[in-house]
Amino acid sequence: MDNIEKFCEITGSSENIVFFGGAGVSTESGIPDFRSVDGLYNQQYDYPPEQILSHSFFMENTEEFYRFYRNKMIFPDVKPNTAHIKLAELEKKGVLKAVVTQNIDGLHQLAGSRKVYELHGSIHRNYCMKCRKQYDAEFILKSEGIPRCSCGGIVKPDVVLYEEALDDSTVTGAVNAIAKADTLIIGGTSLNVYPASGLINYFRGKHLIIINMSTTPADSRADLLIHEKIGEVFSHIGG
């Protein structure tokens, strides 16, 4: 039995699957992983992406933050790919209990997933730092310079920047889902971003599947390791 057959067999016999995903899930929809193209960004910006996407940089260089954010973090025309769609189908069947994602693009929900724990927030939620009024991604995209609320306050994306803590209730929900799962599928993540990647340590189930193009620190713990594109792997799951 090859890896794809084993993947289909495990997902077909599991009753409580949780999917834990990262940037590699969205790259197949055309969203670049900024870590892999630092050179390109350094031609356009005076700072590395990790510095721009930090809380202190947002507070001190808000306009420059938004120049990068609008250009490199919001992709209004992207569509869910096969992995997003198949995961939503598994949830509809009652087999997949939750998606835990490090992505902020909202593509899982766009594909139809309902139980999604967004560890790093979402570009689709933005709020005034002064009055807490909510704004969508289109408002940010169409604004110029620093986006301002009708009250005059600065509008901030509801995404977890470097130096900021994860949302407690989101983490608790993700931990509980992972702890109850009989199968945990990890896909499209190098598992190098903490504290998010530490959540997989709560898994006590039967099958740990890792689908990633490169190696991860958890590879030795997996009972199924697939080094292929995640959309290609999920395409083999029946409708």
Side-chain angles (χ1 to χ4, degrees):
M1 183 184 295
D2 67 16
N3 281 348
I4 298 296
E5 285 178 320
K6 191 174 180 185
F7 172 75
C8 292
E9 183 184 74
I10 292 172
T11 54
S13 61
S14 298
E15 296 178 354
N16 188 328
I17 300 172
V18 169
F19 178 78
F20 181 98
V25 180
S26 294
T27 51
E28 289 177 50
S29 288
I31 296 180
D33 177 2
F34 68 77
R35 283 183 189 80
S36 63
V37 282
D38 279 3
L40 175 66
Y41 292 133
N42 289 338
Q43 294 168 21
Q44 299 179 28
Y45 303 94
D46 296 329
Y47 310 90
E50 285 86 351
Q51 186 177 347
I52 296 174
L53 295 173
S54 68
H55 178 81
S56 54
F57 192 92
F58 174 83
M59 299 302 290
E60 295 161 15
N61 302 276
T62 313
E63 191 161 355
E64 178 68 4
F65 168 90
Y66 270 112
R67 189 168 80 87
F68 178 90
Y69 184 81
R70 286 189 191 95
N71 195 23
K72 299 297 183 186
M73 306 301 288
I74 304 179
F75 297 87
D77 301 320
V78 295
K79 299 286 189 290
N81 60 54
T82 305
H84 296 110
I85 292 164
K86 290 294 184 180
L87 286 165
E89 288 175 1
L90 286 173
E91 182 182 9
K92 198 172 283 187
K93 288 179 179 178
V95 178
L96 184 89
K97 302 303 182 183
V99 169
V100 181
T101 180
Q102 298 174 86
N103 298 333
I104 60 174
D105 48 53
L107 287 177
H108 285 292
Q109 290 92 330
L110 199 57
S113 290
R114 294 288 168 260
K115 182 65 78 174
V116 183
Y117 295 103
E118 296 175 305
L119 297 174
H120 296 152
S122 172
I123 61 164
H124 299 287
R125 296 189 302 271
N126 304 273
Y127 63 92
C128 172
M129 297 174 74
K130 192 174 175 183
C131 75
R132 309 300 288 188
K133 183 178 177 181
Q134 299 290 313
Y135 291 90
D136 60 14
E138 189 178 8
F139 173 83
I140 301 294
L141 210 49
K142 289 185 174 178
S143 61
E144 294 182 7
I146 300 171
R148 295 275 179 182
C149 175
S150 52
C151 79
I154 294 174
V155 177
K156 182 182 184 295
D158 188 12
V159 299
V160 180
L161 302 175
Y162 291 99
E163 305 164 353
E164 293 180 345
L166 303 187
D167 176 71
D168 283 344
S169 61
T170 304
V171 171
T172 300
V175 165
N176 288 340
I178 290 170
K180 292 173 185 172
D182 59 20
T183 296
L184 177 63
I185 304 172
I186 299 172
T189 173
S190 59
L191 293 175
N192 287 324
V193 178
Y194 287 87
S197 57
L199 298 186
I200 69 163
N201 294 326
Y202 291 93
F203 178 62
R204 296 289 183 269
K206 192 175 180 184
H207 299 290
L208 177 61
I209 301 171
I210 298 180
I211 308 165
N212 202 49
M213 296 299 286
S214 57
T215 59
T216 82
D219 284 2
S220 61
R221 293 162 52 186
D223 52 338
L224 180 58
L225 198 57
I226 304 176
H227 292 301
E228 291 183 42
K229 287 186 176 181
I230 192 159
E232 175 63 26
V233 175
F234 270 90
S235 71
H236 295 278
I237 295 179

